[in-house]
Amino acid sequence: MDVHVTIEDNQARFLRCIGEATRLRILKLLAGGERCVGEIVEFLDKEQSSVSHHLRALKDCNIVVVRQEAQKIYYALADPGLAELVLKIEDIMKEVPLCHNLAGDCE
Amino acid sequence: MDVHVTIEDNQARFLRCIGEATRLRILKLLAGGERCVGEIVEFLDKEQSSVSHHLRALKDCNIVVVRQEAQKIYYALADPGLAELVLKIEDIMKEVPLCHNLAGDCE
DNA sequence: CATTCATATAAATGGATGTTCATGTAACCA
DNA sequence: TGGTTACATGAACATCCATTTATATGAATG
């Protein structure tokens, strides 16, 4: 099979993991400190199951770390650099407009 | 239908556009200056058609800009901040290992 | 004007990914 | 022990996305 994983494959996987609206919102939330699943679900107003799947995806990419306390499970950013990265992205996107060609409005 | 596009939708779309191994390699190449399609195809060693699709994706996200000169068409990064972003990503990924759980090796 | 070169596009196909529904599990409590 | 809370998991389904094959466009060249 010779599945040769390149540096770009890994970086791309990482970016795709971050590149999902719900997961991006989770990252922004966690930038403010760790949260348990219940809090994240409430914040997102989405199905608990869906959130759980997203959290797993983030965990599989080592973007978040997990801590258990009694029945509750807390998620936190694995690295403070991730919060900076999100800021950097927002920064760049001010100069690289993307509304173009998108369905719907962008105010 | 009220398709409400959030900031995170746009940012996610941008990240997914960058989050593809081939397109990431294109970005890294263009970080060294503009290139025509033929050069990009040769560099990537991929089908011309496939490369063309990727270039279109990058263009649709305003990540690259296009310039025509005779029969040749040159692509370049739309913003120098994009090259910085790639560096930032590589930087963070040094601290957030991703080889974990991936199929194949990662040397 | 026919041909070639450089690039784009359209349709078909297969694989990845997000959501939901249903169920599983582990901790806590009465 | 039985029930509840908190979260994870698996299967099914739908949608998105990358690749390929084939064809089209448009500029140059003879």
Side-chain angles (χ1 to χ4, degrees):
Chain A
M1 317 179 189
D2 190 24
V3 198
H4 199 265
V5 180
T6 66
I7 296 169
E8 285 84 11
D9 283 323
N10 270 329
Q11 293 175 341
R13 191 173 91 104
F14 170 80
L15 289 168
R16 254 177 290 133
C17 191
I18 290 184
E20 205 280 335
T22 301
R23 290 195 289 268
L24 208 46
R25 294 184 67 206
I26 292 175
L27 287 198
K28 290 179 183 180
L29 177 64
L30 295 185
E34 71 169 9
R35 301 289 146 98
C36 72
V37 179
E39 292 172 313
I40 300 172
V41 169
E42 189 183 19
F43 174 75
L44 296 172
D45 193 28
K46 289 210 138 196
E47 293 269 338
Q48 174 264 318
S49 171
S50 180
V51 173
S52 192
H53 283 302
H54 283 303
L55 289 170
R56 188 178 191 344
L58 290 167
K59 187 180 151 204
D60 285 348
C61 276
N62 293 319
I63 291 169
V64 297
V65 288
V66 184
R67 179 178 75 83
Q68 177 154 13
E69 192 179 306
Q71 332 89 297
K72 296 203 177 171
I73 297 187
Y74 290 86
Y75 284 81
L77 293 188
D79 190 288
L82 288 162
E84 287 173 42
L85 180 62
V86 173
L87 292 179
K88 179 84 178 169
I89 289 158
E90 291 182 329
D91 224 55
I92 284 177
M93 288 194 62
K94 281 170 199 155
E95 281 152 71
V96 182
L98 277 170
C99 302
H100 200 56
N101 279 341
L102 276 179
D105 269 315
C106 53
E107 26 91 41
Chain B
M1 308 190 174
D2 191 24
V3 198
H4 199 264
V5 179
T6 65
I7 295 169
E8 285 84 11
D9 283 323
N10 270 329
Q11 292 175 341
R13 191 172 92 104
F14 170 80
L15 289 168
R16 256 176 289 135
C17 190
I18 290 184
E20 205 280 335
T22 301
R23 289 195 290 267
L24 209 45
R25 294 184 64 206
I26 293 175
L27 287 198
K28 289 179 184 180
L29 177 65
L30 296 185
E34 70 168 10
R35 300 289 146 98
C36 71
V37 179
E39 292 172 315
I40 300 171
V41 169
E42 189 184 18
F43 174 75
L44 296 172
D45 194 30
K46 289 211 138 197
E47 293 271 338
Q48 172 265 318
S49 171
S50 180
V51 174
S52 192
H53 282 303
H54 284 302
L55 289 171
R56 189 177 190 344
L58 290 168
K59 186 179 151 205
D60 284 349
C61 277
N62 295 318
I63 291 168
V64 297
V65 288
V66 184
R67 179 177 75 83
Q68 177 153 14
E69 192 179 307
Q71 333 88 300
K72 297 204 177 169
I73 296 188
Y74 289 85
Y75 283 80
L77 292 188
D79 190 288
L82 288 162
E84 288 173 41
L85 180 63
V86 173
L87 292 179
K88 179 84 181 171
I89 289 158
E90 291 182 330
D91 224 55
I92 284 177
M93 288 193 62
K94 281 170 200 153
E95 282 152 69
V96 181
L98 278 170
C99 302
H100 199 56
N101 280 341
L102 276 179
D105 270 314
C106 51
E107 28 87 40

